[in-house]
Amino acid sequence: QVQVREYGGGSVQAGGSLRLTCEVSGRTFSSRAMGWLRSAPGKERELVAAISSVSSGEKVNYVDSVKGRFTISRDNGKNMVYLQMNSLKADDTAVYQCAVLDTFWGGPNTARFWGEGTQVTVSS
């Protein structure tokens, strides 16, 4: 069973930065696409960033609303994924969950395993 745990959320003012960290158990980490989901009240859960497996070249992609502000990366030696979030906006307020994806950019329903989430609150 794969276990996913994320941390690093918090409260910041608009324009600030946060770095989320995700730890993943299991021996097949480098062969899996990874992503960050977010859920906010009144909004559908969305896949905001994803990074493909090592064999697929670790491609990255982002939802339009975070392009140029968020950066996803992975450390395959440590089984960890990161999400660097800069220039945060109030609209980024959400619970962020790290996920193991069945498909690199197939949407939130392709998440196979995910953590409990970490709250990010951005005040304007």
Side-chain angles (χ1 to χ4, degrees), residues 56-108:
S56 296
E58 297 189 9
K59 296 175 292 184
V60 299
N61 205 4
Y62 305 91
V63 69
D64 285 346
S65 60
V66 308
K67 284 182 179 177
R69 301 188 297 120
F70 289 12
T71 303
I72 187 172
S73 60
R74 64 191 300 162
D75 184 333
N76 298 301
K78 296 181 179 179
N79 279 27
M80 297 181 79
V81 183
Y82 308 97
L83 185 68
Q84 178 66 43
M85 305 185 296
N86 299 328
S87 302
L88 282 162
K89 305 176 181 179
D91 284 347
D92 295 320
T93 296
V95 174
Y96 286 73
Q97 295 171 289
C98 177
V100 179
L101 305 174
D102 283 338
T103 305
F104 164 53
W105 194 246

Side-chain angles (χ1 to χ4, degrees), residues 6-27:
E6 60 280 273
Y7 54 91
S11 297
V12 296
Q13 291 191 331
S17 299
L18 283 173
R19 188 193 197 206
L20 305 184
T21 299
C22 172
E23 298 178 342
V24 183
S25 68
R27 299 181 179 181

